[in-house]
Amino acid sequence: MDRLKNTPHRRIIEVLRISFDGLEEKDREIFLHIACFYKGKDKDRVTQILDYCQLNPVIGLSVLADRSLITISNNELSMHDLLQEMGWEIVREQSPTYPGKRSRLWSHEDINNVLESDKVRV
């Protein structure tokens, strides 16, 4: 049942992925940061953080907004839930079975599993 439930989203995400794949590398990074951490956050604060990461966020946020991958309203960053889900899936694909090898962790379950597995190794 779960598999059938996720199928329509898969098809939509595959179509949305075309927009993501057409982005420059820095813009992809900004998109993934927003999807995983900064959706609903203050644009100015996120710009400071992303600037520190040398991602040229002023240009990148403009590109993402122009391509309708994010919206900026009342100085708040937002994106459609399906776009966020696509971002999460892109990060999950980096290492489907070992969350500790992914570039980002946002799920408390994954974070807890990584910390627990690291604790066992030490």
Side-chain angles (χ1 to χ4, degrees):
M1 292 298 283
D2 288 334
R3 189 178 203 181
L4 290 174
K5 194 167 98 177
N6 289 330
T7 301
H9 290 296
R10 281 253 173 247
R11 290 186 187 134
I12 293 168
I13 287 174
E14 287 172 6
V15 171
L16 295 173
R17 178 77 186 248
I18 294 168
S19 295
F20 175 82
D21 290 341
L23 295 171
E24 298 290 326
E25 185 63 32
K26 286 185 178 188
D27 299 335
R28 289 182 194 173
E29 290 296 313
I30 292 170
F31 176 85
L32 294 176
H33 279 305
I34 294 169
C36 294
F37 307 122
Y38 301 126
K39 180 180 172 183
K41 303 297 184 200
D42 180 75
K43 179 186 128 299
D44 294 335
R45 179 66 180 128
V46 173
T47 299
Q48 287 177 334
I49 294 166
L50 297 175
D51 191 45
Y52 182 76
C53 298
Q54 299 178 345
L55 291 174
N56 302 329
V58 173
I59 295 168
L61 291 174
S62 176
V63 168
L64 295 177
D66 288 347
R67 295 191 183 193
S68 300
L69 293 170
I70 64 168
T71 56
I72 303 168
S73 179
N74 297 324
N75 214 46
E76 182 180 300
L77 297 175
S78 187
M79 67 173 42
H80 191 280
D81 291 343
L82 286 174
L83 288 167
Q84 183 177 36
E85 190 175 321
M86 177 189 70
W88 291 344
E89 185 58 31
I90 290 167
V91 173
R92 276 190 210 102
E93 288 172 0
Q94 295 171 352
S95 180
T97 53
Y98 301 109
K101 293 185 177 185
R102 297 177 189 158
S103 62
R104 296 158 180 85
L105 294 174
W106 65 93
S107 158
H108 68 276
E109 292 96 359
D110 287 343
I111 293 167
N112 188 49
N113 288 340
V114 169
L115 292 174
E116 287 294 326
S117 66
D118 283 352
K119 188 167 76 174
V120 171
R121 285 188 221 160
V122 174

